[in-house]
Amino acid sequence: MANVTVIGAQWGDEGKGKIVDWLASRANVVVRFQGGHNAGHTLVVGDTTYKLSLLPSGIVTGTLSLIGNGVVLDPWALRDEITRLEGQGVSIGPDNFGIADNCPLILPLHRELDSLREAAAGKGKIGTTGRGIGPAYEDKVGRRAIRVCDLAHLETLDPQLDRLFAHHDALRAGFDQPPLDRAELLEQLRQIAPFVQQFAQPVWKRLRDAKRDGARILFEGAQGVLLDVDHGTYPFVTSSNTVSGTVASGSGMGPNAAGFVLGIVKAYTTRVGSGPFPTELEDETGELLGRRGHEFGTVTARKRRCGWFDAVIVRQSCAISGVTGIALTKLDVLDGFETIRICTGYRLNGEIIDYLPSNAAAQAAVEPVYEEMAGWSETTAGARSWAELPAQAVKYIRRIEELIECPVASVSTSPERDDTILVRDPFAD
Ligand code: IMP
């Protein structure tokens, strides 16, 4: 099957935007299957930079773009994003954009609860994006969510609102907050409903038809495997499954839909928000990586934590997500380092282990075991073939492949779409 699934193999922000943009230009359909507007994808096309949070990246190239049921959708954020992109000349309408009608909504009460909890948690906070993602997913599995399809039936929503409000008013009382205003929420929903409804549809059916027509489908993952609610650094994770397996449940296609799984991997490691990060560098080297890599969040503008490449977590992510090949990004950020370190294992309680354990305290306690390589003084920025790379840079990439037990499908050497060394075309498989 000529489908491709793109996932982040670290803690998100691996540079998925550029790769997805390139693949989207060759796909017939682009689908988001998890997460929400906590994601931030930056696409650079020619002289124009597009910042996407919720919309699938295909939208910029006019490719049919669908939001699957696995996403949590803030309709007001969606409207703002569409308005912003339309201002940049991107045309978005029901012909090139659709939303699954069984997609749960993020409501203002979710955003508020996200902030209240984070503020109350103090030092123990998750460091969420504050978008209401977690509370919205909780309501989905708690069977209290208002979904896109409900916007067409607001007059029958009372029993659902009873369940939702009973739950949230109890929580809010614990934060000394007044009860929710039902009339106000209904009015907000009434106002936004027509905007959302024009895009609402059974996405699973649209995908079934696309499959029948032999379409190339690109599944665009958000965040990264280490932020997966099951497989990540729990509880410092997002609230969705970010692994490739979510393609099936989050879009309504069968488990074979994923096709070629492309894991996006940064040539070093970053993380935003709290939680374990074994190779984090809280020194001048970490600062330098951050400065060179422009490591500030697209969504929250927070400074990202930076560290050396951690082969242990990437090997783990590739296994858990069934990664077919990786796209290595931001190699040029490492230009000019005299020596470069790669984490090959962890030391825990006097033993060497080759995986990240599940327990949070153990994750916080592991110490990286490094091997050191000579760096390169030449620039790799803009390289488009192996021949243009310094020998040491090639050696670094080959060592990464060996350690993560997964082949490199492409190497990205600048934000520009064409500055890429393509080893294996995921759509050609
Ligand atoms: P939430 O998804 O807003 O609930 O945030 C939970 C955790 O996931 C926090 O550590 C966030 O910083 C992180 N996170 C969420 N979305 C992204 C992303 O797109 N890139 C990187 N980190 C993210």
Side-chain angles (χ1 to χ4, degrees):
M1 180 186 289
N3 291 350
V4 175
T5 295
V6 169
I7 54 127
Q10 291 151 319
W11 277 286
D13 309 314
E14 297 91 352
K16 288 186 282 294
K18 169 180 159 172
I19 314 286
V20 163
D21 167 47
W22 172 67
L23 290 167
S25 67
R26 300 161 62 230
N28 305 108
V29 190
V30 184
V31 188
R32 280 280 308 266
F33 55 92
Q34 48 74 226
H37 65 308
N38 49 349
H41 288 177
T42 305
L43 307 184
V44 182
V45 183
D47 293 338
T48 316
T49 300
Y50 301 95
K51 290 195 183 292
L52 304 178
S53 277
L54 187 54
L55 290 166
S57 297
I59 210 77
V60 171
T61 43
T63 312
L64 174 62
S65 296
L66 300 173
I67 291 187
N69 57 281
V71 168
V72 280
L73 182 114
D74 181 326
W76 298 277
L78 175 73
R79 190 179 52 191
D80 290 349
E81 190 171 327
I82 288 182
T83 307
R84 186 167 43 76
L85 282 167
E86 283 177 339
Q88 289 189 282
V90 178
S91 86
I92 300 167
D95 52 326
N96 68 341
F97 177 54
I99 305 170
D101 56 5
N102 49 350
C103 194
L105 297 180
I106 299 181
L107 303 172
L109 60 93
H110 294 126
R111 210 177 321 124
E112 217 180 313
L113 182 59
D114 200 348
S115 305
L116 287 168
R117 280 185 178 149
E118 286 285 271
K123 277 187 90 175
K125 69 179 183 180
I126 305 290
T128 72
T129 58
R131 301 293 190 263
I133 305 289
Y137 274 118
E138 286 170 37
D139 281 347
K140 170 181 168 169
V141 296
R143 292 160 292 190
R144 297 178 292 271
I146 310 297
R147 308 197 298 173
V148 166
C149 51
D150 299 327
L151 293 172
H153 305 281
L154 290 178
E155 71 291 348
T156 62
L157 212 54
D158 272 335
Q160 193 67 353
L161 287 175
D162 287 344
R163 266 198 297 276
L164 183 73
F165 279 32
H167 179 79
H168 280 275
D169 283 342
L171 283 175
R172 291 169 64 87
F175 288 107
D176 281 332
Q177 295 297 309
L180 292 162
D181 184 332
R182 182 181 297 227
E184 187 188 357
L185 177 62
L186 272 170
E187 186 48 34
Q188 288 170 328
L189 292 174
R190 204 166 281 124
Q191 283 186 21
I192 199 74
F195 176 78
V196 179
Q197 276 172 282
Q198 60 177 318
F199 303 115
Q201 57 192 273
V203 156
W204 67 268
K205 215 157 161 281
R206 190 89 183 247
L207 290 170
R208 180 200 60 189
D209 295 345
K211 184 180 167 186
R212 267 190 200 149
D213 296 343
R216 286 173 155 189
I217 304 173
L218 173 65
F219 293 98
E220 178 178 5
Q223 292 88 44
V225 174
L226 271 298
L227 287 171
D228 182 280
V229 67
D230 286 298
H231 296 287
T233 44
Y234 193 91
F236 300 100
V237 290
T238 192
S239 298
S240 66
N241 283 110
T242 59
V243 294
S244 61
T246 315
V247 158
S249 58
S251 71
M253 291 193 90
N256 295 331
F260 188 111
V261 180
L262 185 66
I264 314 298
V265 175
K266 206 182 278 191
Y268 50 101
T269 315
T270 63
R271 163 161 216 178
V272 273
S274 325
F277 180 173
T279 63
E280 181 170 16
L281 294 166
E282 291 175 279
D283 59 9
E284 184 45 40
T285 308
E287 287 288 323
L288 189 61
L289 285 171
R291 265 201 312 278
R292 288 224 190 128
H294 308 290
E295 298 295 354
F296 293 91
T298 313
V299 174
T300 56
R302 285 180 292 177
K303 198 170 164 182
R304 296 176 187 144
R305 300 153 66 193
C306 297
W308 293 119
F309 186 82
D310 185 340
V312 180
I313 58 162
V314 176
R315 183 168 57 229
Q316 193 155 325
S317 292
C318 288
I320 287 167
S321 249
V323 171
T324 320
I326 66 157
L328 191 69
T329 64
K330 300 184 96 163
L331 181 68
D332 54 303
V333 173
L334 296 178
D335 291 354
F337 278 93
E338 208 163 294
T339 51
I340 294 174
R341 296 179 125 195
I342 304 180
C343 170
T344 57
Y346 299 137
R347 191 170 289 108
L348 181 66
N349 301 326
E351 281 181 38
I352 303 291
I353 55 171
D354 63 357
Y355 70 101
L356 186 67
S358 300
N359 175 263
Q363 289 180 350
V366 297
E367 287 171 28
V369 176
Y370 287 116
E371 69 179 34
E372 209 164 84
M373 295 180 72
W376 53 91
S377 51
E378 307 90 326
T379 177
T380 62
R384 296 180 184 188
S385 70
W386 290 108
E388 292 172 63
L389 290 183
Q392 271 309 118
V394 176
K395 220 166 148 183
Y396 181 66
I397 298 168
R398 294 297 178 217
R399 185 61 183 141
I400 284 176
E401 272 184 318
E402 211 167 68
L403 287 167
I404 66 170
E405 298 167 15
C406 192
V408 164
S410 69
V411 181
S412 168
T413 55
S414 99
E416 282 299 318
R417 199 199 273 194
D418 295 332
D419 290 343
T420 302
I421 302 167
L422 185 62
V423 181
R424 188 169 165 197
D425 182 350
F427 268 130
D429 267 56

